[in-house]
Amino acid sequence: MTRDPKALEALERALRAAYRRAPPEAPPVPVEAIMARVRRSPPAEPAGDPRFLGRFVLAAAVVAGLIVGSALWRGVPAELANPGEAADPVAAVLTVSLGE
Amino acid sequence: MHRTLDRTAAIDPAGAAPGNGETGGATDGELVRRALAGESRAFEGLVRRHGPRVQRTVRRHVPGDAAQDVVQEAFLRAYVSLANYRAAEGALGDWLVTLAVRASYDHWRARYRRREASGPRFAESHQAWAERVTQARSVEAFEEETARREAREVLQLALARLSPEERLVVSLVHLEGLSVAEAARQLGWSEINVKVRAHRSRRKLRTVLEPLLEPLPNRTPEAK
C-alpha cells in the first residue's frame, strides 16, 4: 500500500478544493414547500426560561434536604425503625421532620 | 410573552407593514418578533432572505437529491424553536446555518440506520484521477483536475466510508476550514470532542484514501 505522505497531502488538498467549489445547478430555495410544512406544524412558542427550571429543581432539593436533615437531627422515630408497627409511616416522617 | 412580542412589533417604527410578506427594510430581529406573534409571512421573509445560504450549507453536506428535504427540515426546526434564538448570541443567519448542519447530520444518521450509506468502492477512473492530481506540475493543472467529475465522486465515496459524526467533523474542520470552536458551535459538541474526533476522522479519511494511490492494475507488472 502506498505510504507517500506528500501524495496523500496533495490528494487531500485536491479534495478540499473540490469540496469548496460551489455545487452545480443549485435549484431555487423551496420557499412554498417550506411554508406549507410550517403552516402544518404547531405554532412557534416562546421557550420557557431554562433558568427557571434550574431554580425550581434547586429549591426542591433544598426543601428535601431540610426535611431529611431535620428527621436525622431528631433521630429515627420508633415508628420508622419498626415500620411494620407504624400505622402510617409517611405521617410519622412528616410529624418528625415538620414537628407536631 | 406572545402579547408583549405582538405589541413590540406593532409599535416598532422600523417594522414593515404586517401581513404583506415582504421583508422590506425589516431587520431579522423584527421579522423574528413578528413570526413569534403568529405572522407566518414574516417567517416567509426570513426563509427568502436566508434560504440561499442555508441551501448552500446543506448542499455541501448532503447529496442534491436529499438536499431539498433537509433544507425544509432545517427551516421547520427554526420555526418551531424560533423563540430559542437569542440575537445576543449571534446573527440569525449563523443560527440557521447551525440548524442546517445539525439537520444534515441527522440526515446521515438516519441513512446509516437504514444502511443506505455504504456505496460502491473506488473505480480505476478514480485511481487514474488521483494519480494525475498528485502529479500535477502546475497550479492550473491541479485546478483543472479538482474541477473534474471524478473529484466530486472520490470525495463522496470517501465521505461515505466515514460515520455520520466523522463525516460532519471532517467536512467542517478539514474541508471547509472552520475553527474547532466554530465547528463545535455548529455541531453542538464540546471543543475537546471536536478536536479529538477531527484528529481521528482525518486519520480514517487518509486510510480510506490510501488505496487510491496504489499503482493501477495494468501498470503493476511494469512497477515490478
Side-chain angles (χ1 to χ4, degrees):
Chain A
M1 194 172 275
T2 308
R3 295 279 187 249
D4 182 355
K6 281 189 178 175
L8 209 46
E9 277 173 23
L11 193 54
E12 278 186 314
R13 259 201 325 276
L15 292 181
R16 206 173 297 133
Y19 179 87
R20 290 178 183 181
R21 284 178 187 277
E25 77 270 346
V29 177
V31 177
E32 295 309 320
I34 291 168
M35 291 312 296
R37 284 184 70 178
V38 160
R39 289 186 194 102
R40 283 199 304 269
S41 74
E45 285 291 337
D49 186 349
R51 288 172 297 184
F52 175 77
L53 182 63
R55 285 184 200 135
F56 178 78
V57 170
L58 183 65
V62 168
V63 170
L66 283 174
I67 291 175
V68 172
S70 171
L72 291 174
W73 181 259
R74 288 160 187 260
V76 179
E79 291 92 333
L80 282 185
N82 300 296
E85 296 174 11
D88 187 352
V90 175
V93 171
L94 290 176
T95 304
V96 170
S97 55
L98 300 176
E100 295 294 338
Chain B
M1 191 167 176
H2 258 134
R3 283 181 185 166
T4 309
L5 290 167
D6 211 351
R7 190 166 57 242
T8 309
I11 61 172
D12 195 337
N20 63 4
E22 299 296 327
T23 57
T27 63
D28 284 348
E30 289 159 5
L31 291 175
V32 167
R33 281 196 295 275
R34 282 159 48 188
L36 282 171
E39 192 187 319
S40 68
R41 304 283 290 187
F43 188 77
E44 186 176 336
L46 292 172
V47 174
R48 292 190 188 280
R49 181 179 289 173
H50 296 283
R53 186 178 172 199
V54 168
Q55 182 164 254
R56 273 197 306 277
T57 302
V58 168
R59 285 175 64 83
R60 280 192 167 174
H61 296 294
V62 169
D65 57 335
Q68 298 277 300
D69 277 346
V70 177
V71 169
Q72 288 181 30
E73 179 62 29
F75 272 110
L76 192 62
R77 290 180 189 188
Y79 180 71
V80 170
S81 58
L82 197 57
N84 294 333
Y85 164 65
R86 300 273 181 271
E89 292 171 10
L92 183 77
D94 294 342
W95 182 67
L96 291 171
V97 164
T98 298
L99 293 182
V101 168
R102 293 180 190 172
S104 304
Y105 172 60
D106 290 341
H107 163 81
W108 284 113
R109 284 190 4 159
R111 279 191 68 165
Y112 273 67
R113 269 201 302 274
R114 297 195 301 266
R115 300 182 187 282
E116 292 174 5
S118 59
R121 296 189 174 275
F122 296 124
E124 275 190 31
S125 62
H126 300 137
Q127 270 183 284
W129 171 81
E131 189 176 298
R132 288 197 305 273
V133 80
T134 54
Q135 293 176 5
R137 294 284 172 236
S138 67
V139 175
E140 290 76 20
F142 182 83
E143 288 293 319
E144 193 181 319
E145 290 300 334
T146 61
R148 287 185 183 278
R149 177 176 48 84
E150 288 90 340
R152 288 204 69 77
E153 287 175 356
V154 166
L155 183 62
Q156 293 309 323
L157 287 171
L159 290 176
R161 299 268 165 247
L162 306 180
S163 70
E165 293 84 3
E166 292 165 341
R167 180 188 187 105
L168 260 292
V169 83
V170 157
S171 300
L172 292 174
V173 177
H174 295 304
L175 300 176
E176 212 158 302
L178 295 187
S179 68
V180 167
E182 179 63 16
R185 199 179 61 74
Q186 289 196 5
L187 289 164
W189 299 352
S190 71
E191 289 188 26
I192 288 290
N193 193 7
V194 170
K195 207 177 278 186
V196 170
R197 282 179 188 265
H199 177 72
R200 287 184 189 157
S201 307
R202 189 180 188 189
R203 205 168 52 197
K204 186 168 174 185
L205 180 67
R206 286 183 158 214
T207 308
V208 168
L209 293 175
E210 273 179 347
L212 280 174
L213 299 174
E214 288 175 10
L216 285 163
N218 57 346
R219 296 185 192 173
T220 310
E222 292 172 21
K224 282 179 183 175

